[in-house]
Amino acid sequence: MIKEFILPDIGEGVVECELVEWLVSEGDTVTEDQPIADVMTDKALVQIPAPYAGVIKKLHYAKGEIAKVHAPLYSVDLDGNNSSSVDEVIVANRGEQTISESRSENLSSEDVTPVVKKGVQIEEFLLPDIGEGIVECELVEWLVSEGEQVVEDQPIADVMTDKALVQIPAIKSGKIVKLHYRKGQLAKVHEPLFAVEVEQELTTSVTATDESTPITESSTDDSTEPVAQGKALASPAVRRLARTLDINIAHVPGTGKNGRVFKDDVERYHSGTNTNTVISSAQHDVSSITTPALSVSSSTEVSSIIDRVEPIRGVKALMAKMMTESVSTIPHFTYCEEIDLTALVALRESMKKKYSTDELKLTMMPFFMKSMSLALKQFPVINSQVNDDCTELTYLSRHNIGMAVDSKVGLLVPNVKDVQNKSILEIAAEITRLTTAARSGRVSPNDLKSGTVTISNIGALGGTVATPIINKPEVAIVALGKLQVLPRFNANGEVEARKIMQISWSGDHRVIDGGTIARFCNLWKQYLEEPQEMLLAMQ
């Protein structure tokens, strides 16, 4: 069977690449995972491996030409490495061919008319490259089920890399035959993700006989008709063996990769079917004898406590890696303060009804971000980054303030870009968009990049004081405690109920000292406690 190899996605945003060099020639026999070609994107040189073994029939591009993503790169004959492949391809119709040949010998009044019929073919969808350097991803959710009809570009599955949630579309219309992974499993790039049954045109011949000619072969047809063959991953030689032994290959458990059925599997299945009756009877007798013992054992297992082991994957695995690296390479120190937000809470309450919409939620966070941006202008070292060997400090002009979000896939930190140039309402709208996207796990990779300083609103869940871990390569992070109504003395010595929030800063002590973060925090606190000062500082 001739199969086209479709050039997969080989990098985020890459739609074409240059064919640098073919590593094989037309007519070469290749094995699975053998390198086929080197292609150059605008980011890197990528080597394309063969997903199947076979014989290269056609190379669709010349060296130096531009190859298109999702277009055929080369053609391969999957059965070309078998000398009897031609006979094996047509063996499925051998019963009909034998009858046709005998009729042509015995009957002289026949006409052969070519007819185009629509047949079906099972194609495996290979998981393409979904990001630079990504070799596997977690199957978050299937959006279709086995047996369901799908159309081209219909979303099939959501997969999670260590960077973002990606939706995989169908490249052809057809019926989903097999989903190769369960929810939560790790899917490998360049390996089958699902199998789809697609239509293809087949040219066959119809034999027209004289109506007066009796057909006496019906009884012979019934006696010699081969066992119907189901769907299975196997070579033509193995399928021929199954037909010879009158075995439906779909019933044979495969021991190869992705359930591939080998010759030994068919022979083992054939020998096993001859003794199934005896084994079944013996098992029935034994089970009747040992039933009391089994029931005692099962009750013991139910009553025991079983530990559950769960792999760390996706965003959680990335968080574990980043936090470990941050703690082991950055000398952290913590600075705590309390802020009286009574005036700011009243201001926000007076504005909330007027300005809040479905696309804009006027929470306290926009005020925290804007006031922080104003303070960063006076203390730019808080908005800086240091290189790995701590020999250079880069002062960042953009205030891309991140916010930690507890999403369904783990901790995500999207950031609001260019806070220094945005109004409070613009910041609020952006926060609403990012929060909605992050909680659903569909935040874009661009929203997670280029953060300069982070706010963790842990107080929304509870707690007052924390020791947040710096989001490397940033140099500072602040955790906001929950808002509490506490007694405080006013200027006249009278006790009042005030709205108090505890905040906890963590700083990179290679870059920031205690005095710097204290002065910065005092200025930020002034803007929050006296909103009119924040308004006057805006440009």
Side-chain angles (χ1 to χ4, degrees):
M1 180 179 66
I2 305 297
K3 188 175 182 66
E4 297 286 356
F5 175 87
I6 305 300
L7 181 62
D9 291 303
I10 50 178
E12 188 176 341
V14 176
V15 297
E16 61 184 18
C17 58
E18 180 185 351
L19 199 294
V20 177
E21 187 176 1
W22 286 110
L23 306 178
V24 296
S25 303
E26 293 181 0
D28 285 357
T29 299
V30 297
T31 59
E32 186 176 353
D33 293 330
Q34 178 179 336
I36 300 297
D38 287 335
V39 298
M40 175 66 74
T41 71
D42 56 355
K43 298 179 180 179
L45 186 69
V46 180
Q47 197 168 77
I48 304 297
Y52 305 105
V55 176
I56 301 297
K57 289 297 183 182
K58 177 69 174 176
L59 305 178
H60 293 302
Y61 296 92
K63 181 177 178 180
E65 288 186 341
I66 302 299
K68 301 290 185 181
V69 170
H70 297 160
L73 183 66
Y74 64 89
S75 303
V76 60
D77 185 357
L78 300 185
D79 302 327
N81 56 347
N82 193 322
S83 60
S84 59
S85 62
V86 175
D87 295 332
E88 293 163 2
V89 169
I90 63 172
V91 74
N93 297 322
R94 183 154 294 175
E96 294 180 10
Q97 292 174 351
T98 304
I99 294 172
S100 298
E101 290 171 2
S102 63
R103 285 179 178 175
S104 64
E105 293 172 0
N106 298 326
L107 303 176
S108 59
S109 58
E110 294 178 345
D111 294 324
V112 178
T113 306
V115 176
V116 176
K117 295 183 179 180
K118 284 191 174 181
V120 294
Q121 177 182 346
I122 306 300
E123 291 191 5
E124 295 287 353
F125 175 88
L126 302 184
L127 181 62
D129 288 304
I130 49 180
E132 189 173 352
I134 294 174
V135 297
E136 64 183 12
C137 57
E138 179 183 352
L139 199 293
V140 176
E141 187 175 3
W142 285 110
L143 306 178
V144 296
S145 304
E146 291 183 0
E148 186 174 334
Q149 290 287 340
V150 297
V151 297
E152 187 176 354
D153 292 330
Q154 177 179 336
I156 300 297
D158 286 337
V159 298
M160 173 63 70
T161 70
D162 57 0
K163 298 179 180 179
L165 188 72
V166 180
Q167 200 166 74
I168 303 297
I171 59 173
K172 290 185 179 181
S173 300
K175 184 173 74 173
I176 300 297
V177 176
K178 179 70 174 177
L179 304 178
H180 293 302
Y181 296 92
R182 296 190 305 275
K183 182 177 179 180
Q185 286 188 319
L186 286 181
K188 301 290 186 181
V189 170
H190 297 158
E191 291 192 6
L193 183 65
F194 60 90
V196 60
E197 185 181 84
V198 297
E199 289 187 352
Q200 64 173 357
E201 289 188 349
L202 300 173
T203 303
T204 61
S205 59
V206 175
T207 304
T209 62
D210 191 346
E211 293 182 0
S212 62
T213 305
I215 299 177
T216 60
E217 300 162 348
S218 58
S219 61
T220 306
D221 291 346
D222 293 338
S223 62
T224 61
E225 182 178 356
V227 175
Q229 295 296 306
K231 302 179 181 68
L233 190 60
S235 69
V238 175
R239 292 181 182 275
R240 182 173 57 183
L241 175 63
R243 282 191 292 270
T244 303
L245 298 175
D246 288 335
I247 294 175
N248 186 343
I249 198 169
H251 298 160
V252 180
T255 59
K257 184 178 180 182
N258 296 320
R260 178 179 288 275
V261 180
F262 295 119
K263 181 180 178 181
D264 293 342
D265 298 328
V266 176
E267 293 175 344
R268 191 181 304 112
Y269 181 84
H270 178 64
S271 61
T273 54
N274 295 332
T275 57
N276 274 347
T277 304
V278 178
I279 294 173
S280 176
S281 175
Q283 288 177 344
H284 175 72
D285 295 339
V286 172
S287 63
S288 63
I289 297 172
T290 60
T291 298
L294 289 175
S295 61
V296 174
S297 176
S298 61
S299 62
T300 304
E301 292 177 358
V302 171
S303 61
S304 64
I305 299 175
I306 301 174
D307 295 334
R308 181 167 62 93
V309 178
E310 183 177 281
I312 300 175
R313 296 170 176 164
V315 174
K316 293 181 180 179
L318 179 63
M319 181 183 70
K321 177 183 176 182
M322 295 297 293
M323 294 299 98
T324 302
E325 183 179 356
S326 177
V327 170
S328 60
T329 59
I330 298 177
H332 286 59
F333 77 97
T334 303
Y335 176 86
C336 299
E337 179 63 281
E338 74 170 33
I339 302 177
D340 187 342
L341 297 176
T342 306
L344 184 60
V345 170
L347 175 64
R348 178 244 177 188
E349 288 294 332
S350 66
M351 301 172 65
K352 184 173 67 172
K353 291 183 180 180
K354 181 178 180 180
Y355 293 103
S356 292
T357 63
D358 292 339
E359 291 79 24
L360 188 153
K361 304 295 183 185
L362 191 59
T363 62
M364 297 291 288
M365 187 61 73
F367 297 96
F368 280 107
M369 285 193 177
K370 189 62 183 179
S371 58
M372 181 181 291
S373 177
L374 294 173
L376 289 175
K377 292 181 179 180
Q378 304 299 320
F379 295 89
V381 70
I382 308 297
N383 198 61
S384 65
Q385 290 182 2
V386 64
N387 62 350
D388 290 336
D389 56 1
C390 202
T391 57
E392 291 181 351
L393 185 63
T394 303
Y395 292 90
L396 305 172
S397 59
R398 304 178 68 187
H399 297 172
N400 299 340
I401 301 179
M403 54 179 184
V405 179
D406 184 25
S407 75
K408 69 176 185 179
V409 296
L411 180 65
L412 296 175
V413 189
N415 59 81
V416 179
K417 301 289 194 294
D418 299 312
V419 174
Q420 77 279 4
N421 297 329
K422 287 181 167 66
S423 67
I424 289 177
L425 292 180
E426 289 173 334
I427 297 170
E430 190 67 1
I431 289 174
T432 303
R433 180 187 70 83
L434 292 174
T435 303
T436 302
R439 284 178 178 165
S440 65
R442 298 183 184 279
V443 61
S444 69
N446 185 58
D447 290 328
L448 299 170
K449 296 177 181 177
S450 307
T452 59
V453 66
T454 300
I455 299 175
S456 174
N457 189 16
I458 191 64
L461 302 176
T464 56
V465 179
T467 53
I469 306 301
I470 296 171
N471 188 21
K472 192 178 179 180
E474 299 170 13
V475 296
I477 183 174
V478 64
L480 308 180
K482 66 180 180 180
L483 190 64
Q484 304 176 89
V485 179
L486 299 174
R488 291 294 184 267
F489 289 100
N490 61 19
N492 298 323
E494 301 168 339
V495 176
E496 291 183 352
R498 307 294 293 181
K499 292 180 172 61
I500 305 297
M501 177 181 286
Q502 304 287 335
I503 63 162
S504 306
W505 280 96
S506 286
D508 185 343
H509 222 326
R510 298 174 300 173
V511 178
I512 305 171
D513 55 39
T516 300
I517 205 164
R519 286 187 287 271
F520 166 76
C521 189
N522 288 339
L523 180 58
W524 185 44
K525 175 181 177 179
Q526 179 184 358
Y527 290 148
L528 292 171
E529 291 187 339
E530 304 173 31
Q532 66 275 14
E533 294 291 333
M534 176 170 54
L535 297 176
L536 291 174
M538 291 183 186
Q539 296 178 350

